[in-house]
Amino acid sequence: MKAVLCRSFGGPENLTIEDIPEPQPGPGEILVRTSVAALNFFDTLIIAGRYQFKPDFPFSPGGELAGTVAALGPGVEGWRIGERVVANPGWGACREAVVVRASRVVRLPDGVSDEQAAGLTVTYGTSLHALKDRARLQPGETLAVLGAAGGAGLAAVEIGRLMGARVIACASSEDKLALAREHGAELTLNYGKEDLREGLRRLTEGRGVDVLYDPVGDKLAEPALRSMAWKGRYLVIGFAGGAIPTLPLNLVLLKGCDVLGVFWGAFVEREPETHAAHMAWLFEQVAAGRLSAHVHAVYPIEQTPEALRLLAQRQAKGKILVRP
Ligand SMILES: NC(=O)c1ccc[n+]([C@@H]2O[C@H](COP(=O)([O-])OP(=O)(O)OC[C@H]3O[C@@H](n4cnc5c(N)ncnc54)[C@H](OP(=O)(O)O)[C@@H]3O)[C@@H](O)[C@H]2O)c1
């Protein structure tokens, strides 16, 4: 079978496309035949050896996928060969078939296409966990989303709107903001042009934001924290901007606000029932047309390096998919 392989840490140009034998699922595992794999920003970090986990070589990038059940390992029951599923192996999806632990496979209902489903798990799963479980976002509250046209950001815009929040999309260009507006943002702020803190003060008439969703970090983190309302919740999602920021704790004290860590991967392991309920809710919303699961582009598997470059160069809007 065809697979994208990372044989040593480096940039996307370092990846190779190779023919490898199809793997066999072991105890507790399922072999999933890939229909479409989805990329995330963290794939650019994993292949560079800059992520929180480092798979053994050679490995394939691709944290999630939609596909069909191809084979069951010993002891795995309750699945039919050929049924449609999504899976989030963490890495390894950019190949024609991938072995996944059964606990990381979820049945895919009718009414949700493979393209919509492939990239739903990580970004929408993270945003739902962040906004619902961590921030306890309430209808009528103000939610500011940084990197609002990225995978995680756009999911937060859509889910925040669905939860009844007033969403302020913040991004680096007008076309990214236009997309966020199409997906439910009421107000927009271009932090490529305007100071983030000034802009959020202006848009909230000095009150500050109740919940701030931050997948960017770096230089945006401190002005974002300075923009919190009294008893606001600042969600630490990720550091796509590069640097992991340090925050002055006096701001947390002065604003009586919370800084909340969001670690979706650990949540899935520790709270599998809540994760399953979240996935069911997300599929329901997509099937009903209330969440878009917006796809920027679908690339053939041979062009995975090109697709990863788009993410690394800050050009992706919504999800980038790869089809074997
Ligand atoms: N905590 C968790 O459990 C969890 C789960 C999933 C993802 N994450 C993290 O969330 C972050 C976003 O992931 P994603 O897949 O949504 O990424 P993405 O689609 O690439 O979006 C990231 C956004 O960050 C902004 N950005 C600012 N500086 C950037 C730079 N130098 N390079 C790339 N983007 C830059 C961009 O928006 P502008 O151009 O508008 O600034 C971009 O749209 C990553 O750090 C990822 O690891 C965390």
Side-chain angles (χ1 to χ4, degrees):
M1 66 170 191
K2 218 180 273 176
V4 179
L5 291 184
C6 177
R7 292 188 170 280
S8 62
F9 291 132
E13 68 289 347
N14 206 34
L15 299 169
T16 54
I17 315 289
E18 300 184 31
D19 256 319
I20 60 169
E22 192 160 283
Q24 295 298 313
E29 294 177 336
I30 297 179
L31 180 70
V32 179
R33 191 152 322 281
T34 312
S35 162
V36 260
L39 301 178
N40 288 279
F41 184 80
F42 64 68
D43 289 303
T44 68
L45 303 176
I46 293 176
I47 61 168
R50 289 172 45 222
Y51 198 54
Q52 43 193 253
F53 48 75
K54 295 182 174 58
D56 293 334
F57 296 122
F59 69 90
S60 302
E64 54 184 336
L65 68 148
T68 51
V69 173
L72 303 177
V76 179
E77 286 172 1
W79 300 88
R80 269 182 305 106
I81 303 300
E83 74 178 310
R84 296 173 69 228
V85 293
V86 290
N88 65 299
W91 69 87
C94 293
R95 50 173 66 189
E96 284 177 318
V98 54
V99 167
V100 190
R101 267 190 292 137
S103 60
R104 290 194 160 240
V105 181
V106 176
R107 208 163 265 117
L108 182 53
D110 292 339
V112 182
S113 71
D114 289 355
E115 288 74 16
Q116 289 174 309
L120 202 69
T121 312
V122 176
T123 50
Y124 282 81
T126 298
S127 296
L128 182 56
H129 171 52
L131 297 175
K132 185 168 181 242
D133 306 334
R134 303 296 285 136
R136 299 175 195 280
L137 179 67
Q138 299 301 312
E141 284 194 314
T142 309
L143 165 69
V145 179
L146 310 187
L154 201 59
V157 168
E158 288 196 339
I159 292 172
R161 164 71 180 260
L162 212 49
M163 289 174 76
R166 185 165 183 249
V167 180
I168 306 177
C170 309
S172 65
S173 70
E174 293 305 322
D175 60 327
K176 287 184 174 185
L177 292 173
L179 182 75
R181 218 174 288 117
E182 279 167 32
H183 288 259
E186 188 177 322
L187 300 166
T188 55
L189 191 164
N190 182 343
Y191 50 61
K193 281 191 184 152
E194 183 178 10
D195 178 75
L196 180 66
R197 187 181 171 202
E198 291 302 316
L200 288 176
R201 188 183 291 156
R202 177 175 58 77
L203 292 172
T204 59
E205 289 159 359
R207 209 190 138 265
V209 301
D210 298 308
V211 176
L212 193 130
Y213 183 97
D214 181 9
V216 181
D218 201 15
K219 291 188 177 60
L220 293 183
E222 189 173 327
L225 184 60
R226 287 185 187 280
S227 308
M228 300 309 298
W230 177 245
K231 290 191 178 170
R233 286 88 75 207
Y234 180 111
L235 292 162
V236 181
I237 305 294
F239 315 106
I244 297 175
T246 47
L247 296 173
L249 280 181
N250 64 316
L251 297 178
V252 180
L253 181 154
L254 291 170
K255 289 171 178 299
C257 72
D258 296 335
V259 177
L260 300 168
V262 177
F263 188 177
W264 175 80
F267 156 74
V268 169
E269 294 293 327
R270 287 164 180 265
E271 300 177 47
E273 279 109 31
T274 314
H275 166 58
H278 282 189
M279 289 308 297
W281 185 82
L282 289 170
F283 287 143
E284 215 178 286
Q285 304 311 313
V286 173
R290 291 190 283 267
L291 293 178
S292 74
H294 177 78
V295 172
H296 178 116
V298 186
Y299 283 82
I301 195 169
E302 293 79 7
Q303 289 177 25
T304 302
E306 190 53 41
L308 282 167
R309 229 169 268 131
L310 217 63
L311 277 167
Q313 292 171 356
R314 208 173 172 173
Q315 287 167 21
K317 294 196 212 86
K319 296 296 294 189
I320 307 272
L321 307 183
V322 165
R323 195 191 297 283

